[in-house]
Amino acid sequence: MIMNQKLFMEEGEQLTDKGRYQRIIGKLIYLSHTRPDIAYVVGVVSQFMHQPQEPHMEAVMRIIRYLKGTTSHSVLFKSNGHLDTQVYTDADWAGDKSDRRSTSGYFTLVGGNLVTWRSKKQKVVALSSAEAEFRGIARGLTEILWVKKLLTEIGFPPSKPNRILCDNKAAIQISENPVQHDRTKHIEVDQNFIKEKIETGVVELPFVRSEDQLADILTKAVNGRIFAKCLGKLNVGDPTVQLEGDVRK
């Protein structure tokens, strides 16, 4: 997706073939279950299935061209000597131009390998970037609890707290601060949920620098350098090239 591009319903814009658009989007949604690199953009273009316009179809064709050039891309799993679980969670505040809702996303890694991901527009409008990030943390926490339960059931219970990595210090402070302020009353349920898991040692909430935040590509369109860097750290790409790189090291 073009960096900083905002798709929305433009008044007077020419409509495109609705049936064709819906068929392509249906296939892309199915494909996004194994291609985390298109999760965000597929979520964006799928919002216009009821009345697609030409700019929306152009964005879809851009996805198709990208997929044509990356047919060998996949998620590579490697043994890293541990089964630590961590979640990268991020949110793009008021990123949707039509209704100003935020988009949140997370990547879940077990043993350094990517296992789950999600990019989804939030259901309500966030009043600040901290609130948007905070809601993203809550969604990431529910995912990490599910992964923790699954690992325990198959005989690999976590030996240390799971980590939720966020790049917003205000959201982290709200999660850890037991005092209920007026400005956070509307997110009090999420706050108590997160605080309880931190106090019981289920999760840790360390700060991660924005340049190291891998979930950026699930919340906004970024430039090619950042996109490639994030995919490289997630072991998403041509597995042959990745394995050859490991051999050379």
Side-chain angles (χ1 to χ4, degrees):
M1 191 170 181
I2 299 173
M3 186 178 177
N4 297 322
Q5 182 182 18
K6 301 293 183 182
L7 292 177
F8 58 97
M9 293 298 298
E10 298 185 44
E11 194 171 334
E13 184 64 55
Q14 184 177 352
L15 299 178
T16 188
D17 186 335
K18 181 178 178 180
R20 180 176 180 235
Y21 187 89
Q22 291 178 341
R23 288 192 297 272
I24 296 175
I25 295 300
K27 293 177 173 63
L28 290 176
I29 291 173
Y30 183 77
L31 183 60
S32 66
H33 293 309
T34 55
R35 289 291 297 263
D37 47 342
I38 64 171
Y40 167 69
V41 66
V42 170
V44 172
V45 296
S46 64
Q47 297 175 33
F48 309 103
M49 294 177 68
H50 63 291
Q51 196 175 13
Q53 298 176 332
E54 284 297 332
H56 309 146
M57 182 60 85
E58 290 174 8
V60 169
M61 290 298 103
R62 186 178 178 88
I63 302 173
I64 300 298
R65 289 193 295 271
Y66 168 75
L67 291 171
K68 185 177 180 180
T70 58
T71 54
S72 61
H73 276 40
S74 57
V75 181
L76 177 66
F77 290 84
K78 298 188 293 185
S79 175
N80 295 305
H82 67 85
L83 283 177
D84 298 343
T85 304
Q86 58 183 8
V87 171
Y88 286 87
T89 177
D90 193 30
D92 179 35
W93 180 44
D96 194 300
K97 192 172 180 178
S98 59
D99 57 15
R100 287 306 178 188
R101 292 186 187 180
S102 306
T103 300
S104 56
Y106 60 76
F107 283 122
T108 309
L109 290 86
V110 177
N113 294 300
L114 179 62
V115 291
T116 67
W117 57 86
R118 193 176 192 188
S119 176
K120 185 175 179 62
K121 190 163 72 169
Q122 296 181 1
K123 295 182 179 180
V124 296
V125 177
L127 302 179
S128 67
S129 60
E131 181 184 335
E133 294 272 6
F134 188 77
R135 294 187 188 280
I137 292 173
R139 302 292 81 78
L141 176 54
T142 58
E143 184 71 7
I144 211 169
L145 291 175
W146 176 81
V147 172
K148 176 178 180 290
K149 180 181 179 182
L150 178 61
L151 288 173
T152 302
E153 288 181 350
I154 62 176
F156 297 96
S159 58
K160 60 178 68 172
N162 303 303
R163 306 179 74 204
I164 301 178
L165 296 110
C166 174
D167 61 0
N168 189 293
K169 291 183 178 180
I172 295 174
Q173 291 170 355
I174 292 173
S175 302
E176 297 174 340
N177 189 357
V179 179
Q180 300 291 337
H181 298 289
D182 289 342
R183 65 188 180 91
T184 61
K185 280 185 178 179
H186 55 297
I187 51 174
E188 187 174 334
V189 174
D190 282 342
Q191 181 180 2
N192 285 324
F193 173 56
I194 297 172
K195 178 175 169 290
E196 175 190 332
K197 300 307 177 184
I198 293 175
E199 289 179 342
T200 55
V202 175
V203 297
E204 295 177 340
L205 198 57
F207 173 76
V208 61
R209 298 181 305 170
S210 295
E211 53 265 35
D212 297 324
Q213 177 55 270
L214 304 183
D216 257 357
I217 63 174
L218 291 178
T219 62
K220 64 179 76 69
V222 299
N223 64 47
R225 181 184 60 82
I226 295 176
F227 190 72
K229 175 184 175 184
C230 290
L231 293 183
K233 289 186 175 181
L234 292 166
N235 289 329
V236 177
D238 187 333
T240 305
V241 175
Q242 295 182 68
L243 291 172
E244 285 179 354
D246 291 341
V247 170
R248 288 169 187 165
K249 291 177 183 178

